[in-house]
Amino acid sequence: MPETEPSFLMAVEDVFGCHPHGTYVTGEVLQGVVRVGDELEVVGLLPTRRITAEKLGVFRKQLTEARVGQNIAVLIPGINRTQVAVGQVLATPGTVRPHSRLRATLRAETALGTSLQLRFAERSEVVEATVHLPEGADASAPAGPALDGPVEITLDRPAVFEQGTEFTVVIQTRDVITSTRRLGTGLVAEVLD
């Protein structure tokens, strides 16, 4: 019996408008294979959207398919760049779904409080989150909330992650320019929805 290919998965690392053709998204193929004409879903942070991979490319060279480890650009026709975001994923339809509740372990050198900004992938959009501390825990303690124990977190916008996903706790400020400072890290212990 022949082995089947794993489902396709690619994290969106950058987004470029290509008027009037649609939008290019770039990223590394994390698993599976994608071919020109494949139906895919864009999942996480924004409403899930079904799309078609109209063109594939790498360094100004068109491809008919892309495999694990390749950094590629995928042309998504009929949408503009505000309808897809860094931090989303492209995936085989029905294979991944976004989540908004998780149990995690947090590590930080300063108190984090109960309102956090999380980043699930490098350069991805920041997701606002609320930490639900265990009974009796103090969010203002110098070591931060439940550094070595589980906390429950609710995200304002669903993101794609699974058990074992590492994330960064950041603070993002918008003065003259947007700057992001890392406050700590976390590890998803369990997906709750």
Side-chain angles (χ1 to χ4, degrees):
M1 184 167 120
E3 285 188 39
T4 59
E5 293 175 341
S7 56
F8 174 72
L9 183 67
M10 180 186 108
V12 175
E13 296 175 4
D14 224 331
V15 178
F16 301 96
C18 184
H19 184 75
H21 305 290
T23 297
Y24 274 103
V25 296
T26 64
E28 181 181 353
V29 178
L30 301 173
Q31 71 180 36
V33 176
V34 63
R35 294 174 180 86
V36 171
D38 281 356
E39 277 202 5
L40 302 172
E41 285 182 336
V42 185
V43 184
L45 302 176
L46 300 169
T48 298
R49 176 184 298 272
R50 180 104 21 145
I51 58 103
T52 300
E54 186 172 281
K55 288 184 182 180
L56 304 174
V58 58
F59 300 112
R60 299 182 189 262
K61 177 183 171 188
Q62 289 201 8
L63 304 172
T64 56
E65 70 175 31
R67 297 183 171 273
V68 173
Q70 287 184 287
N71 285 301
I72 64 169
V74 179
L75 177 61
I76 304 171
I79 68 169
N80 65 48
R81 63 175 309 208
T82 62
Q83 295 172 301
V84 62
V86 173
Q88 291 187 288
V89 298
L90 294 186
T92 302
T95 58
V96 297
R97 68 183 189 91
H99 305 283
S100 56
R101 293 182 56 238
L102 62 128
R103 186 170 286 119
T105 301
L106 299 177
R107 288 184 176 75
E109 295 177 10
T110 62
L112 295 176
T114 57
S115 291
L116 300 180
Q117 295 178 322
L118 307 181
R119 181 170 273 162
F120 284 94
E122 188 179 344
R123 294 178 32 210
S124 69
E125 283 195 17
V126 171
V127 181
E128 300 288 332
T130 303
V131 176
H132 309 283
L133 299 173
E135 196 171 315
D138 182 4
S140 63
L147 288 178
D148 296 316
V151 295
E152 288 189 15
I153 298 174
T154 302
L155 305 178
D156 287 356
R157 294 183 297 159
V160 175
F161 56 84
E162 57 190 24
Q163 184 175 338
T165 299
E166 294 180 354
F167 58 88
T168 306
V169 181
V170 298
I171 184 166
Q172 194 169 51
T173 57
R174 290 180 180 92
D175 297 326
V176 176
I177 59 169
T178 300
S179 64
T180 304
R181 187 168 54 102
R182 180 179 153 159
L183 297 180
T185 60
L187 180 69
V188 177
E190 183 182 357
V191 177
L192 299 176
D193 64 353

